[in-house]
Amino acid sequence: MATAAEAHAMRRAVALAARGLGHTSPNPVVGCVILDAGGRVAGEGWHQRAGGPHAEVHALHAAGERARGGTALVTLEPCDHTGRTGPCSQALISAGVARVRYAVADPTAQARGGAATLAAAGIEVAAGLLAQEAEAVNEPWLTAMRRGRPFVLWKYAATLDGRSAAADGTSRWITSPASRADVHRLRAEADAVVVGSGTLRADDPHLAVRGREGVTQPLRVVLDTRATVKPGARVLDDAAPTLIAVAEDADTAHLRRLPGVRTVRLPRAGTGLQIPALLAELHGRGVRSVLLEGGPTLAGAFLAAGAVDKVVGYLAPVLLGAGPAALADAGITTITQALRLETTDVTRLGPDLRVTATPTAPAPLAEEN
Ligand SMILES: NC(=O)c1ccc[n+]([C@@H]2O[C@H](COP(=O)([O-])OP(=O)(O)OC[C@H]3O[C@@H](n4cnc5c(N)ncnc54)[C@H](OP(=O)(O)O)[C@@H]3O)[C@@H](O)[C@H]2O)c1
C-alpha cells in the first residue's frame, strides 16, 4: 500500500510530467518526485525536452544526498537503456534510493526492463500507483507506442446544428475567442497539425501556435495531392516547419526553394492520399501526436481509416441551417455502423461547449489498416 505522502508525490509527478507536453517527442512526458527516508519531498523534476535529462535525473540532482534510503515516485517505468542519456535505472541505483514506485509500465521494447534491473539491485519496486492519471497525461505517446502510429486528435468547430461552415464556405468565426484560444493549447501540445487542401484553399490557415509563451511549434502538414499550395500561403511562412504531402506524380518545383518547407510523396488512395502512409511517414519523423484540424472531407477519410483516437468538438450556440456538416463521408451508410463515442468531458468555454469523446471501440492497429 502506498502512503498518503507517496500518493501525493505521485500526483505532483503527474502534474510535472504535463509540463513537458509538446516538447519531448519522440519521447514520453515523465515526472518524478524523490521523497527522503523520512517521507519529505527532497527533489522533483520532469523530462523537459528530447535529448535532455530524464525526469529521474533532474529529481535526483535536486535531491542530492537526501535521495539515499528514500523513495522515487515516477509516472513511467524508469528506462533501462542508453540513448542520448544514460539509463535511469542505474541513476536510481547509484543514488541509493530504497524504493521506486512507478505508475505505468514502459511499453517499448527498447526502454522496458528498468523495473527488473532495479529489483535485481535490491530496490523495492511497485507499479500502478495513480496509473489512470499517469496514462492520461501520456495518452498520445502511449497510444503511439502501442499502435505504431501517431495518436490522432480530431478537433472541429461547429454550430449547434452541426455545420462547420456557411453555405458559401466561410467559417470564420463560428466559435468564441475562448474556444479559439483553447485550440492554440491543443496545437501547442501536438507534434503536428494536419489539414486538407480544401481547408487550405478556403481559409488560407496559418496553423502555428500564437499567444502562448515558450512553445515548440508543431509541424504544419497539408495533404495536397496535386501540390496546389501557392507561394505566399500563410502555412508556408517561417513561423513553424511545414510538410506538404503530395502524390508521387505532383509537380513541386514551386515549393523547392522555400525555407522550412518540405514535401513528401505518398501513394494515392481514391481521390486523395493514403492516410496510413501519411501516419507512417510522420511516425518515422518522430511525430507522436497529431492534431487533425479538418476539414470535414479529410476528417471523414481519417475516420474511415480507423485513425481517430479522440474527438474534441467546439459547439457554438449558432445556427446556420445550410452549409457543410462538421464531418463528411466516413464510409458509414447505416445506423448499425455508426461510430459510437464515449463522452469523457464537457466544458463551457465562454458561450461555447467543448465536448471531448473517444471511440468506444478502439481503432485497429496500424498493420490492420
Ligand atoms: N469548422 C471547422 O472546424 C473547420 C475546420 C477546417 C475546415 N473547415 C471548413 O471546411 C471547408 C473545407 O473542407 P473540405 O472538406 O472542403 O476540405 P478538406 O477536408 O480540408 O480537404 C479535403 C481535400 O484534401 C485532399 N486530400 C488528400 N488526401 C485525402 C484523403 N485521403 N481524404 C480526403 N481528402 C484528402 C483532397 O484534395 P486534393 O486531392 O486536391 O489534395 C480533398 O479534396 C472550408 O469551408 C473550411 O472553412 C471548417
Side-chain angles (χ1 to χ4, degrees):
M1 268 291 282
T3 65
E6 288 172 349
H8 189 264
M10 186 64 95
R11 191 155 288 117
R12 171 75 181 151
V14 172
L16 291 168
R19 294 187 186 179
L21 284 169
H23 302 285
T24 63
S25 282
N27 294 345
V29 293
V30 186
C32 176
V33 172
I34 307 285
L35 300 179
D36 66 14
R40 290 170 299 263
V41 175
E44 50 181 47
W46 73 96
H47 187 39
Q48 297 173 8
R49 57 178 178 81
H54 289 185
E56 296 90 323
V57 173
H58 279 298
L60 287 171
H61 186 257
E65 266 310 298
R66 289 177 66 203
R68 202 156 291 281
T71 303
L73 290 303
V74 199
T75 55
L76 186 70
E77 179 182 355
C79 76
D80 202 34
H81 79 300
T82 304
R84 283 183 274 187
T85 60
C88 291
S89 49
Q90 289 307 328
L92 290 160
I93 293 165
S94 305
V97 302
R99 270 171 307 278
V100 173
R101 285 191 180 277
Y102 64 92
V104 178
D106 192 318
T108 62
Q110 188 196 29
R112 72 160 72 110
T117 301
L118 292 165
I123 293 175
E124 191 188 320
V125 183
L129 178 61
L130 297 192
Q132 248 184 322
E133 287 88 333
E135 278 260 350
V137 76
N138 235 341
E139 184 185 20
W141 184 82
L142 287 167
T143 304
M145 291 302 106
R146 290 170 184 153
R147 299 201 169 283
R149 59 146 174 87
F151 169 84
V152 178
L153 168 60
W154 170 43
K155 159 263 146 183
Y156 69 92
T159 61
L160 209 52
D161 57 331
R163 299 183 192 277
S164 64
D168 67 354
T170 52
S171 64
R172 287 192 169 143
W173 297 104
I174 289 175
T175 50
S176 66
S179 293
R180 300 204 302 272
D182 197 57
V183 171
H184 282 275
R185 177 186 62 81
L186 293 183
R187 283 185 188 168
E189 291 179 359
D191 298 334
V193 177
V194 175
V195 296
S197 63
T199 299
L200 179 85
R201 285 189 287 269
D203 297 346
D204 189 17
H206 190 230
L207 302 181
V209 183
R210 291 186 303 276
R212 298 180 76 86
E213 293 291 307
V215 295
T216 305
Q217 288 289 350
L219 176 68
R220 300 176 291 187
V221 181
V222 183
L223 273 80
D224 185 15
T225 311
R226 291 160 290 128
T228 60
V229 60
K230 303 264 183 310
R234 295 169 75 219
V235 77
L236 299 178
D237 75 5
D238 60 4
T242 301
L243 182 69
I244 309 292
V246 301
E248 274 139 0
D249 57 353
D251 180 0
T252 56
H254 61 297
L255 298 174
R256 243 170 243 152
R257 266 183 284 281
L258 294 172
V261 178
R262 300 269 175 282
T263 54
V264 60
R265 294 181 184 278
L266 298 178
R268 285 180 190 263
T271 55
L273 301 168
Q274 277 182 23
I275 304 300
L278 170 78
L279 292 175
E281 177 66 34
L282 293 177
H283 199 66
R285 290 170 185 253
V287 168
R288 298 292 173 259
S289 63
V290 162
L291 179 65
L292 173 62
E293 291 209 26
T297 306
L298 190 60
F302 266 75
L303 278 163
V308 172
D309 301 301
K310 195 179 229 180
V311 179
V312 174
Y314 296 87
L315 300 180
V318 175
L319 297 173
L320 276 168
L327 180 64
D329 185 7
I332 299 166
T333 53
T334 181
I335 195 68
T336 54
Q337 296 173 342
L339 183 68
R340 305 273 167 191
L341 308 172
E342 184 195 354
T343 302
T344 55
D345 181 68
V346 179
T347 300
R348 266 196 91 125
L349 291 173
D352 306 330
L353 279 186
R354 182 189 66 198
V355 180
T356 306
T358 49
T360 45
L365 298 175
E367 60 268 23
E368 295 168 11
N369 283 323

